[in-house]
Amino acid sequence: MAISRRKFLGSLGAAVGATTTGSLTKAYGAANKHFNGYPGSSGVLHDITKCIGCRKCEQACNKVNDLPQPEKPFEDLSILDKKRRTQAEEYTVVNQFSAREKIFVKKQCNHCLEPACASACFVKAFKKTPAGPVVYDESLCVGCRYCMVACPFEVPAYEYDKVLTPRVTKCTMCAPRLEEGKLPGCVEACPREALIFGDRKELLKIAKSKIQKYPDQYIDHVYGEHEMGGTSWLYLSGQPFESIGMREDLGTTSAPELTAGPLSAVPIVVGLWPVLLTGVYAISKRKDKIAKEEKEDALQAARVQANEDMNKKLEEQREKMTKEKTAAINFEVKKALEEAAKEKEKEAEAGEVEDSEEKGKQEE
Amino acid sequence: MDLDNQIPENKKFTVFNVVVGIILVGGLVLTILRFTKGLGTVTNLDNNNPWGIWIGFDLLCGVALAAGGYVTSAACYIFGLKRFHSAVRPAILTAFLGYALVVLALHYDVGQPWRLPYPIFYSPGTSSLLFEVGLCVFLYLTVLFIEFSPAAMEWLGLKKLRNWVVKLTLLLTIFGVILSTLHQSSLGALFMIAPSKLHPLWYSSYLPIYFFISSMFAGMSMVIFEGSLAHRHLKYKMDETHLKESTGVALGFAKAASLVMMGYACIKIVGLSIDSNWHYLATGWGLWFLLELVGFVLFPAILYAMGSREKNLMFIRLASIWTVLGIVLNRLNISVVAFNWHLPSAERYYPSFMEIGTSVFIVTLGIVVYRFIATRMPILHEHPDYKAH
């Protein structure tokens, strides 16, 4: 099958090309560190100076998300006396701050450009959609609540009282309604222009032009432009944000960047540790081996030394014994000789007597 | 002499057994409550304080104090300190039980525990440090199970399988050190995502390194501490080698822990200087920080040093308990005490009695299982058929 061979080679080339260019694009993407949000993604501009604290947004949120009715009706504004945060059944709350005049601030998920919750989630239950909303998939959630630890705005809430299917809940920026071409519930319900929905880039322009036009009405800061890497919700205020319950010490580093360092250590540890540890093992093993060899050498040397000493001693002993033996023999010989000599002397004396006796006999 | 399965005829109603029995029954009740009424009934957790002592104590302290497994096996098998050999098995057993209990405790804490395999097998969120922790704990629990299994196999008489598994020792040890390095440090790195919530004295870009380094002396101290407990209650299970080596293990680990703790104190001060946090020391939080660093790191470090120089086991045992308490203090400070320090006291978290009860239940369960295994399997002595000495 000649054709299929050619086809095969062709597709192989295409595959190689695709992977190469693919990786090149990825590398380029990774080099481009600053993520300024998906192009054309939506957001909401909250002009705090325009908010009158009517809680219409809370009511609309409750309705479009099918949340249970609260104990006190939304018309009851006495609830504003207490500072509130988002709860499992309240995706948005309006808080009241009293400076010279009453100031009302709406609080809900800020839909970060690089969300801490999505970065922290170990099952990818949170996702930043290209349209703007940060959405949650309850079918994946294990319920570890690390997203709640991670969120710098203290937004996600948990259904602690549900036994089998507790979920993390938060504002969805009405993602399902956006898909239908509708406005988020709260924006639609706002009777003033305190909430404006639109392309985030356009909203930024609007916010900045407002600041420029009315410098005495607004603080020169668009909250959410850079906070924690930027958020889809943007805020304009006439009072310092810190004084109306919005933290100004969050910095501009996005959550994923905060944990990028330790995550990047993983491959290095996995790559380096086996080499180092095997090396340590090899060194300790070699040390043991050398110690063993040295011990054996020392033993051998000791053995040789001992042998030599023994031989030397034996030699000395032998010499000594030989000497003693010789001495003993000499002594014995000497003794024998002496004895023999004595004997001879005696014999000689006796002979002399006999001789003289014989001489005497002869003389007679 | 076969020390296995020699369980002395004890009276059933000893103080120990009665107390343990009450705790276990109480734990059972709490377990039923937790899984029929939900987290809201049993815990004091709320939307501002999503993590309580089930994470701060059961997970963070549990993992840190189970570090004796990798420390001891690395000392013996990688660094070639053969005199630690008789300490390896009890340390591996404790580590295995420690991690198993951490995973058990997580089943109480997460909302839908039957989904705990999701991060590994179904939808891995690789950008999360918690994913790294989960994956490493899962893998390391497996490694510890295999490392522990020869003891059970010797007990059950599975000779061939046992001899085959023992051949994996070095590989498993190296794998265990890698996994421990990763997840011990990642537990600290978990909090790096929340600089706005953790007090600056505890928040540091060195958090992962602090957690890893402190896990070393946490592990060594636990080995010493457990050793002294086992000496008191399970001495009849120890063979001559174990008894002979145990003093050396305590002295060796005391010296090592002392050095590592001094180093740890130094890098804590480096972190303090790099973030220029000195001015916080003059506040109440600063005093609390100094209590942790001086009272529960430097003081036991010196006690260890004196103990190892004078060969004083009393000092060493005291230092080991002190160090363990210091680790608990440090982990609770980071996860509970200094976390959300900016909130008004009315919005702060205090554990409920039921949360504390559940943690006590889980620790007790660990002690009971340890005793069950150590009285039956060759943990504190060698099996006569498999002598290494």
Side-chain angles (χ1 to χ4, degrees), chain A residues 111-282:
Chain A
H111 299 273
C112 303
L113 301 183
E114 296 172 82
C117 55
S119 164
C121 183
F122 71 161
V123 284
K124 289 192 284 196
F126 284 101
K127 202 170 72 188
K128 174 77 177 175
T129 61
V134 176
V135 294
Y136 166 74
D137 181 352
E138 62 178 77
S139 74
L140 294 173
C141 181
V142 181
C144 71
R145 307 185 297 282
Y146 187 32
C147 50
M148 298 163 71
V149 168
C151 178
F153 303 109
E154 289 161 349
V155 165
Y158 198 63
E159 297 178 318
Y160 285 105
D161 292 323
K162 274 199 184 166
V163 180
L164 292 176
T165 55
R167 296 170 302 173
V168 173
T169 63
K170 68 167 197 71
C171 156
T172 62
M173 211 202 269
C174 283
R177 281 171 63 91
L178 294 189
E179 273 173 29
E180 293 169 21
K182 292 181 194 161
L183 283 172
C186 54
V187 177
E188 199 178 66
C190 185
R192 304 283 303 274
E193 273 188 359
L195 297 174
I196 311 166
F197 176 84
D199 185 325
R200 183 178 182 268
K201 289 221 164 65
E202 294 303 314
L203 293 178
L204 262 179
K205 275 183 205 156
I206 293 170
K208 282 178 180 169
S209 71
K210 274 191 175 188
I211 293 171
Q212 215 162 25
K213 258 190 208 162
Y214 312 103
D216 46 345
Q217 262 184 49
Y218 295 106
I219 294 247
D220 186 12
H221 180 66
V222 184
Y223 194 95
E225 184 183 9
H226 298 300
E227 271 76 9
M228 289 301 287
T231 61
S232 288
W233 276 66
L234 303 165
Y235 299 81
L236 278 176
S237 169
Q239 297 291 326
F241 287 98
E242 194 72 56
S243 68
I244 51 170
M246 297 170 76
R247 295 185 66 168
E248 287 183 292
D249 58 349
L250 298 178
T252 56
T253 312
S254 73
E257 273 176 77
L258 287 170
T259 50
L263 279 172
S264 73
V266 175
I268 277 298
V269 169
V270 174
L272 209 55
W273 248 208
V275 180
L276 285 177
L277 294 174
T278 317
V280 170
Y281 172 74

Side-chain angles (χ1 to χ4, degrees), chain A residues 85 87 119-120 122-124 138 141-146 148-149 151 154 158 160 164 166 247 266 273 288, chain B residues 36 40 45-48 50-51 77-78 82 109 111-112 114-115 123-125 127-128 132 181 190 196-197 342:
Chain A
R85 61 152 287 160
Q87 301 293 342
S119 164
F122 71 161
V123 284
K124 289 192 284 196
E138 62 178 77
C141 181
V142 181
C144 71
R145 307 185 297 282
Y146 187 32
M148 298 163 71
V149 168
C151 178
E154 289 161 349
Y158 198 63
Y160 285 105
L164 292 176
R247 295 185 66 168
V266 175
W273 248 208
D288 283 355
Chain B
T36 53
L45 298 175
D46 60 40
N47 290 328
N48 282 332
W51 282 359
Y77 297 125
I78 297 176
K82 297 209 176 65
D109 185 77
Q112 305 194 41
W114 43 89
R115 287 181 177 174
S123 179
S127 64
S128 170
E132 194 194 326
T181 311
L190 282 182
S196 58
K197 294 184 182 177
H342 61 289

Side-chain angles (χ1 to χ4, degrees), chain B residues 104-333:
Chain B
L104 176 71
L106 284 180
H107 282 76
Y108 286 75
D109 185 77
V110 302
Q112 305 194 41
W114 43 89
R115 287 181 177 174
L116 274 173
Y118 277 22
I120 298 161
F121 296 109
Y122 185 54
S123 179
T126 46
S127 64
S128 170
L129 278 157
L130 197 59
F131 168 77
E132 194 194 326
V133 171
L135 182 64
C136 288
V137 167
F138 165 69
L139 290 174
Y140 189 44
L141 188 59
T142 316
V143 166
L144 281 170
F145 176 73
I146 303 173
E147 282 189 300
F148 160 71
S149 66
M153 289 168 186
E154 288 170 15
W155 180 54
L156 296 168
L158 303 168
K159 244 182 193 172
K160 267 191 188 166
L161 196 59
R162 181 264 177 205
N163 289 339
W164 187 79
V165 173
V166 163
K167 282 188 192 135
L168 298 174
T169 302
L170 180 65
L171 193 73
L172 289 173
T173 306
I174 291 180
F175 200 35
V177 175
I178 295 168
L179 291 170
S180 295
T181 311
L182 290 177
H183 71 261
Q184 294 284 3
S185 59
S186 300
L187 281 176
L190 282 182
F191 294 91
M192 282 179 64
I193 205 163
S196 58
K197 294 184 182 177
L198 184 57
H199 191 280
L201 281 173
W202 283 272
Y203 185 90
S204 164
S205 48
Y206 294 138
L207 264 176
I209 296 167
Y210 292 159
F211 267 57
F212 176 54
I213 301 293
S214 58
S215 82
M216 293 182 198
F217 58 79
M220 295 178 206
S221 300
M222 271 308 272
V223 170
I224 298 172
F225 175 54
E226 274 168 40
S228 62
L229 280 185
H231 257 266
R232 191 169 302 164
H233 301 291
L234 291 166
K235 199 168 180 180
Y236 65 99
K237 284 280 159 194
M238 295 176 177
D239 60 8
E240 229 172 89
T241 323
H242 192 106
L243 290 170
K244 214 170 67 192
E245 287 184 353
S246 63
T247 311
V249 170
L251 288 173
F253 271 162
K255 200 174 190 178
S258 171
L259 280 170
V260 178
M261 287 164 88
M262 306 260 187
Y264 174 75
C266 288
I267 57 171
K268 285 284 264 194
I269 292 165
V270 168
L272 204 64
S273 318
I274 278 191
D275 291 331
S276 191
N277 281 334
W278 292 99
H279 60 285
Y280 286 108
L281 289 183
T283 65
W285 287 106
L287 285 179
W288 189 245
F289 178 83
L290 285 175
L291 176 77
E292 182 197 312
L293 188 62
V294 178
F296 285 88
V297 178
L298 278 176
F299 171 66
I302 291 166
L303 206 54
Y304 264 142
M306 283 165 62
S308 85
R309 194 186 59 185
E310 319 274 329
K311 307 221 181 309
N312 185 334
L313 279 181
M314 268 301 292
F315 276 20
I316 290 175
R317 282 172 186 170
L318 187 66
S320 73
I321 298 170
W322 212 266
T323 309
V324 168
L325 289 177
I327 289 290
V328 173
L329 180 65
N330 170 254
R331 298 306 196 253
L332 285 179
N333 274 346

